[in-house]
Amino acid sequence: MLTTQPKTQHPESLKQPRQHPHDFPAYKGQSYEDVVKLRKKYLTPNVTSYYKKPLLIHKGSGAQLFDQEKSYLDMFGGIVTVSVGHCHPKVNAALEEQLRTLWHTTNIYMHPKLHEYAEKLVAKMPGDLKNVYFVNSGSEANDLAMVMARLYTGNHDIISFRNAYHGASPYTMGLTAHSTWRYPLPGLNSGILHAMNPDPYTGIWGGKQCRDSPVQTTRNCDCQEGECKASDKYYEQLEQIFKYSLPRGKVAAMFAESIQGVGGTVQYTKGYIKRAAELVRANGGLFISDEVQSGFGRTGEHYWGFEGHDFVPDIVTMAKGIGNGFPMGAVITSRKIAEVLSQALHFNTFGGNPLACAVGIAVLDVIDEEELQKNSLNVGTYLLKGLQQLREKHDVIGDVRGKGLMIGVELVADKETRQHLSAPHFVDIWEMCKDMGVLFGRGGLNANVLRIKPPMCITKADVDFSLHILDTALSKHSEKVRQNS
């Protein structure tokens, strides 16, 4: 664990633009105005853009993104997807070599990259999680995991958390428990139950002893060092579902993100997930860990987020960082569970595509060779501690949480009540950060959480720059509010 802290006084150099004229990439595409017109005319209206004036990004390198006019430090990693850095040379080279050899043949034939990649990927998994099925996205992975759990157990009902996000396909939309991500369609909740979210910051119970993070919430609780009474209370609520809402002893599965992503980087109370898995298994079900955002070393201490909960799941789903932006995903489970798919034909045309497998192999290699898991721990903890200092300085920061480089900063209107910051105030801060060269994500049910999940190659200098920009934006916002009042 790091002992050094970010500087509270940032050097003057941090206030200067990050790019230099000689290395700024020229943009040669369509004009900004033409792209805006084409987007409105041809893309479905639900495809919305970040920011009042959307960015037209045309190049990426490491942790940097470039539009027509300037560079930005990407602290969101393409929605937690760019794991080893934009256009990483080794990943680029692997893709280029493969595309000159074989683009596609599907897994009805054997090709070497599929098997090489499967061996390297499952070697990262504990226990008997040694069989992999490749897909194209996280939603597809979770879809398939639901099918496998229901077939294997012979049960139908599946539990997920309120505030969870597991995809937006018709099947996974039922698992996702955010009203903002759900369409009013019949059958979405068929066999899906949503458990109370064991959130130590905004939940009914929890406080400063309750989560596994370098930065704890300031909320008071009755828990003592080494115990979590809040976890006991949330577990009792889960037991109520088994007592009242399920056939006795019959559940297919429970899904959980190791740390909730879209929901605002929410961490659970200590010990809850391990106990939940035991309860699910005692009632005939499987426990499924969604590692779409928290896998591949991002949480720092472990390669997989579920390892931080001290248990081994029955099925693991993954995507996003698996390909550093290349569209791919995977489901990994045991042989005995995987065998249920043999009951009928099941096929994925692009799953295990040669290009995807070549990229996946290179990503695994880069994470190991460049020690990006270690970097996530060290630089991420450094960032968390710096954000903790900003929380002490700015009333608008209610909570700082996360592990490694999976971080959330919850902005509030009132620290005591934890009332969320309204959209206009949040957007003002968020837009200022963008204008000064730093891109943060946005999440949480009330869209009041800064989602900070950068490429795992960022440095302490990047952190210092980000902290300086956020500090400046918060100070400017506070001054605006003071003047208006």
Side-chain angles (χ1 to χ4, degrees):
M1 199 64 70
L2 288 180
T3 56
T4 57
Q5 303 298 313
K7 300 173 183 177
T8 54
Q9 297 296 322
H10 298 278
E12 194 67 27
S13 62
L14 293 181
K15 301 178 183 180
Q16 305 303 315
R18 294 177 59 80
Q19 73 271 12
H20 302 285
H22 67 272
D23 60 13
F24 190 83
Y27 175 65
K28 300 177 182 178
Q30 295 164 308
S31 71
Y32 184 92
E33 292 74 18
D34 286 345
V35 171
V36 169
K37 290 177 183 178
L38 291 169
R39 188 176 181 88
K40 288 181 178 179
K41 184 175 181 179
Y42 294 115
L43 272 62
T44 56
N46 65 299
V47 180
T48 57
S49 301
Y50 268 12
Y51 306 117
K52 294 175 182 176
K53 183 182 179 182
L55 300 176
L56 178 55
I57 299 297
H58 71 99
K59 183 176 173 59
S61 177
Q64 294 289 307
L65 289 172
F66 299 85
D67 70 2
Q68 297 166 292
E69 301 172 349
K70 61 188 291 188
S71 73
Y72 302 87
L73 178 61
D74 181 11
M75 294 298 285
F76 197 25
I79 315 182
V80 208
T81 299
V82 180
S83 49
V84 301
H86 292 282
C87 298
H88 190 285
K90 180 162 185 169
V91 180
N92 282 5
L95 179 59
E96 290 168 7
E97 180 180 356
Q98 184 60 44
L99 64 82
R100 293 190 186 95
T101 306
L102 179 68
W103 276 45
H104 181 70
T105 181
T106 83
N107 55 28
I108 60 172
Y109 306 117
M110 294 191 294
H111 63 85
K113 289 299 180 184
L114 172 65
H115 304 85
E116 180 185 351
Y117 183 40
E119 182 180 29
K120 288 179 74 75
L121 182 59
V122 300
K124 297 291 186 182
M125 306 301 295
D128 59 357
L129 296 170
K130 299 302 179 187
N131 274 220
V132 58
Y133 191 105
F134 291 112
V135 292
N136 306 295
S137 70
S139 291
E140 277 193 26
N142 287 329
D143 263 345
L144 182 59
M146 292 173 72
V147 171
M148 294 171 80
R150 283 171 166 163
L151 287 173
Y152 181 78
T153 64
N155 301 327
H156 183 66
D157 294 302
I158 296 176
I159 301 168
S160 67
F161 285 126
R162 299 172 194 166
N163 200 57
Y165 181 90
H166 294 288
S169 66
Y171 216 32
T172 59
M173 196 181 293
L175 292 176
T176 293
H178 278 245
S179 58
T180 50
W181 290 93
R182 292 168 63 92
Y183 291 104
L185 298 172
L188 287 182
N189 268 29
S190 176
I192 306 292
L193 300 100
H194 297 131
M196 182 182 287
N197 200 35
D199 177 358
Y201 179 65
T202 60
I204 299 175
W205 306 287
K208 60 179 63 176
Q209 300 287 343
C210 294
R211 71 181 177 215
D212 178 22
S213 173
V215 181
Q216 295 291 337
T217 173
T218 57
R219 182 183 180 188
N220 290 323
C221 66
D222 297 328
C223 304
Q224 304 298 318
E225 186 73 31
E227 69 168 3
C228 185
K229 295 179 181 178
S231 190
D232 294 337
K233 293 181 182 295
Y234 286 118
Y235 180 77
E236 289 171 3
Q237 293 297 310
L238 179 62
E239 286 183 312
Q240 298 300 304
I241 290 180
F242 283 84
K243 287 180 180 179
Y244 296 107
S245 302
L246 289 169
R248 182 167 295 180
K250 292 186 182 298
V251 66
M254 183 170 180
F255 268 81
E257 302 160 88
S258 295
I259 297 175
Q260 290 179 339
V262 172
T265 321
V266 173
Q267 295 179 274
Y268 314 119
T269 50
K270 292 178 181 176
Y272 178 98
I273 292 294
K274 185 176 183 179
R275 293 177 68 188
E278 293 169 353
L279 180 61
V280 169
R281 288 164 175 163
N283 285 272
L286 304 178
F287 202 93
I288 301 169
S289 285
D290 182 335
E291 293 286 329
V292 170
Q293 297 192 29
S294 56
F296 296 93
R298 178 162 291 279
T299 60
E301 290 180 347
H302 303 97
Y303 203 86
W304 305 108
F306 65 76
E307 293 175 295
H309 296 287
D310 190 30
F311 87 115
V312 178
D314 301 293
I315 301 175
V316 180
T317 61
M318 58 194 70
K320 289 189 180 286
I322 190 174
N324 199 47
F326 201 92
M328 56 190 298
V331 180
I332 298 183
T333 188
S334 64
R335 184 74 178 184
K336 63 180 182 179
I337 295 174
E339 285 174 347
V340 299
L341 290 180
S342 300
Q343 295 177 23
L345 291 175
H346 191 282
F347 180 68
N348 188 301
T349 300
F350 295 105
N353 169 272
L355 298 175
C357 290
V359 167
I361 292 167
V363 168
L364 293 178
D365 288 342
V366 171
I367 292 171
D368 289 345
E369 292 165 5
E370 299 185 6
E371 298 185 309
L372 295 184
Q373 180 184 337
K374 180 179 179 181
N375 194 64
S376 292
L377 175 62
N378 293 341
V379 176
T381 304
Y382 182 78
L383 174 52
L384 280 162
K385 294 296 186 180
L387 291 167
Q388 182 180 35
Q389 292 181 8
L390 292 185
R391 182 181 66 181
E392 294 167 1
K393 178 179 178 181
H394 296 282
D395 290 338
V396 75
I397 297 182
D399 195 34
V400 172
R401 53 184 177 256
K403 295 176 68 176
L405 288 172
M406 190 160 184
I407 298 170
V409 178
E410 185 148 352
L411 303 186
V412 296
D414 186 293
K415 277 192 175 182
E416 292 299 317
T417 65
R418 302 185 299 281
Q419 174 65 30
H420 66 272
L421 191 67
S422 65
H425 290 289
F426 182 95
V427 168
D428 182 55
I429 295 165
W430 191 49
E431 291 273 356
M432 281 193 284
C433 290
K434 180 264 293 183
D435 291 341
M436 291 185 284
V438 177
L439 306 180
F440 294 118
R442 187 181 184 187
L445 182 63
N446 298 301
N448 67 314
V449 179
L450 293 171
R451 294 176 66 195
I452 305 177
K453 285 100 175 179
M456 296 188 294
C457 60
I458 67 162
T459 66
K460 289 183 180 179
D462 294 325
V463 167
D464 286 336
F465 180 71
S466 299
L467 290 170
H468 168 69
I469 294 302
L470 181 56
D471 186 16
T472 302
L474 293 171
S475 296
K476 288 183 177 181
H477 176 76
S478 296
E479 181 60 23
K480 286 182 184 179
V481 172
R482 186 189 65 79
Q483 290 177 355
N484 291 335
S485 62

